[in-house]
Amino acid sequence: MQRRCMARHNPDTALLFGTAMASPFLLSIPMRHFLEVAQAGSVNQAAARLCVAPSAVSRQIAKLEDALGTPLFERQSRGMVLTPAGQRLAGHLQHAVLDGEAVLDQVRHLGAQTAARVRVCCTEGFAAGFMPAFMQTFIAEMPGSQIELLVGSPEDVSQWLLRGEADIGLKYAVAPELGLRVAHAAPAPVMAVMPPDHPLAAQETVTLAAVVRYPLLVGSKGVTARQLFDLACSAQGLRYTPVLVSNFSSVMLPLLRSPQVLLSGVLTVQHLLDAGRAVARPFGEPVLEQRRLLVLALEGRTLPPPVAACVERMVAAIGGAAGRP
C-alpha cells in the first residue's frame, strides 16, 4: 500500500514547511525527499521508501538545491554523500522531526494519564540480562508507559539514533561519535569471565599471558572487547586460537564451561554473576580498561520528559549493577 504525500505549495515557503498530520509529513515534499536520501545514501533506496520513482526524488533534490543556492550532495559512484551544507540541513531537519513527534505524542495523549513511548536501542550483549530487568522495573515505575526496543550491532545503534528511529542508545565504545551526545558514560573494562571453579577464578586480577593459555570464547572482530584484546595481545606478541567466535554473546554464555574464558563486560554477564554461575576478573593491562559504556542520544536534541526519565532510571540501574560485587 503506497503512502500518500501532502504538501502546500507556496513559492517562497513550500520548500521549508509542509502541512500534514503525521510527524514525517511536518516537512515539505522536497525536505522529506532530501532527508530520505540523506539517511539512505541512495536515490533509489530513498525512492523505494517513499514509494515514488527515483526520477521524482532527483527532481525534488534539484529543486531544493536551486532554492537554497548550494549543492546538498556530492554525487559519487558509491552513492549520495552530504556536503557540509547538506549535513547542517539534515541535522536540523532530523531534530525538527523528532521534536514534532514529541509534540504530536503530547497532543494525542493530552488529558490522558499515560506516558509517551520511549524508543530504546542497544547492542546484543545488553539484551539478554540487563535490558529485560531494566524494562520491567521502568514499566512498573511508569504505569502506562510503552517501551520499544531495537537490538543490533554497535553500528546499528548509532544509525538508529542518527536516523531518529530510537531516542536512547546503549552500547560499548572507545571513542565519541559525530552527531551523538553522551548522556552518560561509565567505565566498562574488558573482563575475563569464567566458571567459579576455573583455575584463574581465585586471582583478583589476571594477565593476558595467563588467559591465552585457556580456550577462549571471543566476539567477532567488530566487537570492542575483541578489538581491545587483539590490540593488547599484539603489543605483547601473544597469540591465541579461540574455540568459539560470535557476535552474539547470548550464544556463548550458555556454552561457558571450565577451563574456558569468555571476554565480556560485566553488565553483559551480570545475571550470571548474580546467580553464582560465573565470576569476572579484570585484566592487569591498562589497554583493556579503555572501553566505556555509553548512554547515547542525538546531539542537539532536547529529550521529552518520559525519555529523560528513562535515561535517569537507566543510569541508576547501570550504577546499581556496577556497585554489586
Side-chain angles (χ1 to χ4, degrees):
M1 181 178 179
Q2 292 190 348
R3 290 182 287 179
R4 298 177 61 190
C5 297
M6 299 173 58
R8 179 178 301 165
H9 290 283
N10 179 304
D12 296 324
T13 62
L15 290 176
L16 300 179
F17 302 99
T19 59
M21 296 305 295
S23 172
F25 300 100
L26 291 173
L27 304 177
S28 67
I29 291 178
M31 290 294 191
R32 293 205 303 273
H33 287 208
F34 163 75
L35 198 53
E36 286 288 355
V37 175
Q39 293 173 348
S42 163
V43 169
N44 289 336
Q45 291 183 28
R49 293 181 184 180
L50 293 164
C51 304
V52 299
S55 59
V57 175
S58 296
R59 284 196 302 271
Q60 295 295 344
I61 297 300
K63 183 179 179 181
L64 184 58
E65 290 179 325
D66 287 345
L68 296 176
T70 184
L72 301 173
F73 293 99
E74 293 180 7
R75 279 72 171 173
Q76 300 183 357
S77 58
R78 65 176 183 271
M80 303 283 279
V81 179
L82 288 167
T83 63
Q87 292 175 356
R88 181 72 177 269
L89 179 60
H92 171 76
L93 292 181
Q94 190 61 70
H95 293 161
V97 169
L98 293 173
D99 289 344
E101 286 182 348
V103 171
L104 292 178
D105 277 343
Q106 293 171 13
V107 171
R108 292 188 188 103
H109 296 294
L110 191 62
Q113 296 180 349
T114 59
R117 64 175 178 166
V118 179
R119 302 171 302 169
V120 182
C121 62
C122 69
T123 48
E124 179 272 336
F126 300 105
F130 175 77
M131 284 306 302
F134 167 74
M135 289 189 297
Q136 186 177 38
T137 301
F138 180 75
I139 292 172
E141 294 178 351
M142 301 284 289
S145 60
Q146 177 190 8
I147 293 186
E148 298 178 8
L149 177 65
L150 292 171
V151 180
S153 68
E155 177 63 19
D156 288 335
V157 170
S158 299
Q159 289 304 311
W160 285 328
L161 291 169
L162 290 171
R163 293 198 300 262
E165 296 174 19
D167 303 308
I168 309 168
L170 180 64
K171 72 175 194 173
Y172 295 120
V174 294
E177 297 182 54
L178 185 66
L180 298 179
R181 173 173 61 87
V182 177
H184 178 71
V190 180
M191 307 288 279
V193 180
M194 63 200 76
D197 61 346
H198 194 282
L200 297 178
Q203 301 184 20
E204 291 188 3
T205 61
V206 296
T207 64
L208 283 169
V211 167
V212 297
R213 299 191 188 107
Y214 294 93
L216 296 180
L217 281 63
V218 301
S220 302
K221 290 188 177 181
V223 176
T224 54
R226 171 74 180 276
Q227 291 172 343
L228 291 176
F229 188 79
D230 287 352
L231 181 64
C233 285
S234 177
Q236 296 188 25
L238 297 173
R239 296 177 179 269
Y240 68 93
T241 302
V243 295
L244 178 61
V245 178
S246 177
N247 64 341
F248 235 58
S249 63
S250 56
V251 171
M252 296 189 287
L253 296 181
L255 301 178
L256 183 60
R257 300 287 187 275
S258 191
Q260 297 170 347
V261 177
L262 168 70
L263 303 179
S264 176
V266 169
L267 211 59
T268 301
V269 297
Q270 189 66 59
H271 58 296
L272 296 181
L273 305 182
D274 291 343
R277 294 161 50 195
V279 296
R281 297 292 178 258
F283 286 90
E285 288 79 6
V287 67
L288 293 166
E289 299 178 355
Q290 294 179 0
R291 191 175 66 164
R292 295 291 181 267
L293 188 159
L294 302 181
V295 179
L296 298 167
L298 187 64
E299 188 175 38
R301 185 191 176 198
T302 301
L303 297 179
V307 178
C310 187
V311 170
E312 181 180 349
R313 285 165 171 78
M314 184 178 291
V315 170
I318 292 170
R324 294 201 292 270

